Amino acid sequence: MAARVRNPGGGREGPGPTGGRTMRIGHIGHGKHRARALTAAALLLAGTVFGCTKDSGGGGSSGERAGAAASGGSGSTAPSTAPSPSADPDRAPVTTAALPAALTGQKPRWSACKAPVKADGMYAEKPGPRWQCATLKVPLDYTEPDGETLGIALIRSVAKDSGKRVGSLLFNFGGPGGSGVAALPGGDDIVKKFGGAYDLVSFDPRGVAESSAVVCRDDKAIAASHRVDSTPDNPAEQRAFMAASTGFGADCARRSGKVLPHVGTANTARDMDLMRQVLGDAKLHYFGFSYGTELGGVYAHLFPEKVGRLAMDGVVDPTADLARGTRNQAVGFQRALENYYKSRGIGAAEGTARTVKLLKRLDARPIPAGDGRALTEHMARTGIIQSLYSEQYWPYLTDALKAAEKGDGTELLALADMYTGRDEKGRYSTQDHAQRAISCADSASRPTAADVTSRHLADFTAVSPAFGPYLAWDVAGWCAGWPVDGAWEKPPVSAKGAAPILVVGTTGDPATPVEGAKKMADGLGTGVGVLVTSKGENHGSYGFSKCATRVVDDYLLKGAVPRSGTVCSS
């Protein structure tokens, strides 16, 4: 959902039975796109017009709570099957074990970074000379910490002012499935603001890009999947949709089955704590966008006493399961669509009706879109979703809709291509493959087509005539036939005893509606979650709202904690 905009229990973002779920925005007026960060804020930081004391002992991940849910165990200092102190119902006890000194004592070999690979994303560029890259070894399966390992790709820029160095500042720009190694070097503003006080660090999470990337299909198969009708109108179309969705999981199992059970968010949080130890930091300082807020919340839950300065922007609702989270996005994108039309002087009802009319017309008959391609209903909706991530994209959406209404789908398809990661040669990024794998390793929910027709379709359509039918079917298609069981219905984020965590929500955020920020702040716990609400029409506030940006800067650079409930209007 947009970017599949869905970060509910599975934390995913993006549309269609194929994945395509990470938010990617670049300036479509330019032939060349900068590194693709996964939230509006991250992309703004990347320079695109629119707008992404030490504790290095050998005890392993000593801060993890006993019994934490995961698709691969935990890393506490002693074996335990005790239930979590917070007794979260969505979390099953697991046996944990200490990490060996070979992992906790490893010394990354930092060197010049290589050119990006396809899985890094279509906009990735070779990092400049200030950036260093390395590989961190982590357990493939945290229940077997002495067993097989994975390599996690890291990137860093060393703090310029060693005398004022706070530590390392770790970034996750969202997705799930986005490459931090590709995104962070594009953040010129991040470097200017934080590069003096922090070593700036990001990484490719397990299953992503250079970290044992999940790859499920080739470019030809990906293109074919985009032609599947994602709003089936009859039993035959429903069967085709569900078959395509199930087929994606089978393809992932065939090509990447070894890592699929181990790419869940809890294991990535454990990887982050191992990074903290190896980087020599007593506390984890972290800035997470979009899905990165869910990852940050799970980290805080597993390692509350290791939380340093932890900021979240574009916040996932941790109380929502797969269906509820998807419905939240239907509400969010409908709200954004109505606000877009209001900005053009068009009433919400009239604008929605025009959009639905165009989509129904394309469902019946696609229109030409240049280079022998056609704009289908599915790809038109994808292009619209792409454009609603930030009001700075609205002028491009206006041009694209006007052209499509006149029978030319070229501009709207170009927007959709940005969302799905298709380059000029017809090659696709595999970010959406990783996104789906991570989401379905997390979410235990497996709704069926019958659930859609009996429970969700009418409701979703009522809250969003433009996006509801598609999102309702996506509830069933997202993890259909997935070969790995999910870890939870909703991500555990309670973090009693953690330092104050900054939670920033945006009133007009389409992908992670503002209501989720309050629920995250509440879920983290009294005295832990610090809520700041920013008024705006973007996915995330950092870099868009001067007030919210200043609040985040002061928190990360000075440790200044704002009053919970602060509202930013500029």
Side-chain angles (χ1 to χ4, degrees):
M1 280 171 272
R4 201 222 184 268
V5 199
R6 171 190 290 166
N7 282 312
R12 66 176 163 138
E13 307 176 46
T18 62
R21 319 232 169 200
T22 63
M23 173 185 170
R24 35 190 78 100
I25 293 191
H27 186 355
I28 61 175
H30 291 182
K32 184 176 184 180
H33 303 277
R34 298 292 302 274
R36 178 176 48 169
L38 302 184
T39 67
L43 285 161
L44 178 69
L45 294 173
T48 53
V49 164
F50 105 86
C52 280
T53 157
K54 313 198 173 183
D55 182 34
S56 59
S61 302
S62 60
E64 181 173 350
R65 293 185 174 183
S71 56
S74 81
S76 63
T77 56
S80 173
T81 56
S84 164
S86 57
D88 289 306
D90 295 317
R91 206 178 41 172
V94 296
T95 300
T96 63
L99 295 182
L103 295 178
T104 60
Q106 62 185 297
K107 304 295 183 184
R109 296 180 179 179
W110 298 100
S111 62
C113 298
K114 300 178 181 178
V117 298
K118 175 181 176 181
D120 289 326
M122 62 184 284
Y123 308 128
E125 299 176 352
K126 188 176 189 291
R130 72 169 299 129
W131 298 98
Q132 300 173 329
C133 288
T135 300
L136 177 77
K137 290 184 179 181
V138 302
L140 172 65
D141 184 343
Y142 272 90
T143 64
E144 299 179 2
D146 291 304
E148 189 172 352
T149 62
L150 289 177
I152 301 298
L154 305 177
I155 189 167
R156 76 170 181 182
S157 173
V158 177
K160 290 183 177 180
D161 191 343
S162 59
K164 296 181 180 180
R165 183 180 180 275
V166 177
S168 303
L169 180 58
L170 187 64
F171 292 86
N172 181 281
F173 296 103
S179 167
V181 172
L184 183 57
D188 296 336
D189 204 34
I190 285 178
V191 175
K192 291 177 182 177
K193 288 186 176 181
F194 303 117
Y198 288 100
D199 291 349
L200 306 179
V201 181
S202 194
F203 63 106
D204 292 349
R206 52 176 60 212
V208 175
E210 299 284 2
S211 300
S212 299
V214 171
V215 178
C216 304
R217 289 178 169 172
D218 60 20
D219 293 327
K220 183 177 180 180
I222 294 170
S225 68
H226 290 163
R227 294 191 287 272
V228 175
D229 191 332
S230 57
T231 56
D233 303 311
N234 55 58
E237 289 183 352
Q238 292 175 17
R239 289 191 294 271
F241 174 82
M242 293 305 296
S245 300
T246 302
F248 188 86
D251 290 345
C252 291
R254 183 169 55 254
R255 300 183 65 168
S256 297
K258 184 176 181 180
V259 299
L260 291 184
H262 307 292
V263 296
T265 296
N267 280 336
T268 297
R270 296 183 174 99
D271 294 342
M272 286 165 52
D273 198 63
L274 181 55
M275 288 177 212
R276 176 192 62 76
Q277 295 178 72
V278 169
L279 293 171
D281 294 315
K283 303 284 186 178
L284 181 81
H285 306 301
Y286 174 83
F287 196 177
F289 300 87
S290 198
Y291 161 77
T293 67
E294 179 179 320
L295 176 59
V298 171
Y299 178 87
H301 175 77
L302 294 177
F303 308 99
E305 75 282 7
K306 298 301 181 184
V307 171
R309 300 173 187 175
L310 197 158
M312 303 179 175
D313 186 24
V315 185
V316 172
D317 179 357
T319 71
D321 62 9
L322 181 65
R324 175 56 60 173
T326 305
R327 187 184 187 278
N328 289 348
Q329 288 193 326
V331 171
F333 276 92
Q334 182 66 31
R335 180 188 295 159
L337 182 71
E338 293 175 0
N339 289 341
Y340 157 72
Y341 275 114
K342 289 177 183 177
S343 76
R344 292 178 56 188
I346 299 171
E350 179 186 350
T352 297
R354 287 175 60 169
T355 302
V356 171
K357 180 180 179 181
L358 174 63
L359 293 173
K360 287 184 175 180
R361 171 185 159 199
L362 294 172
D363 188 27
R365 179 172 298 181
I367 59 176
D371 295 329
R373 303 174 70 200
L375 179 70
T376 63
E377 176 202 18
H378 174 71
M379 295 305 284
R381 183 182 293 105
T382 301
I384 294 169
I385 285 173
Q386 158 77 19
S387 306
L388 293 177
Y389 269 94
S390 171
E391 61 185 333
Q392 295 190 32
Y393 249 93
W394 290 358
Y396 301 107
L397 177 59
T398 298
D399 292 344
L401 288 175
K402 287 180 178 178
E405 288 170 345
K406 295 178 181 179
D408 181 0
T410 304
E411 292 183 54
L412 205 49
L413 186 59
L415 287 164
D417 285 345
M418 293 169 61
Y419 186 94
T420 60
R422 184 185 187 273
D423 69 12
E424 294 82 356
K425 296 181 180 179
R427 299 173 300 188
Y428 290 87
S429 163
T430 58
Q431 287 187 8
D432 57 341
H433 302 193
Q435 184 177 43
R436 197 158 181 170
I438 295 166
S439 299
C440 296
D442 283 349
S443 177
S445 182
R446 299 291 186 263
T448 65
D451 291 327
V452 172
T453 55
S454 66
R455 297 173 52 194
H456 301 309
L457 187 57
D459 176 45
F460 280 40
T461 302
V463 300
S464 177
F467 307 112
Y470 153 68
L471 292 174
W473 278 105
D474 199 48
V475 167
W478 185 238
C479 294
W482 196 254
V484 175
D485 290 336
W488 53 55
E489 290 293 336
K490 294 169 282 188
V493 299
S494 59
K496 183 178 180 180
I501 293 173
L502 185 61
V503 180
V504 184
T506 304
T507 56
D509 192 323
T512 51
V514 66
E515 295 83 357
K518 185 179 188 306
K519 292 178 180 179
M520 176 66 82
D522 290 344
L524 290 167
T526 303
V528 178
V530 179
L531 178 64
V532 173
T533 302
S534 175
K535 295 180 180 180
E537 298 293 334
N538 304 287
H539 179 35
S541 295
Y542 193 82
F544 291 109
S545 164
K546 292 181 180 178
C547 168
T549 300
R550 182 174 63 252
V551 168
V552 173
D553 290 346
D554 287 347
Y555 171 77
L556 291 174
L557 290 171
K558 303 175 183 177
V561 179
R563 177 183 58 82
S564 189
T566 294
V567 176
C568 284
S569 57
S570 63

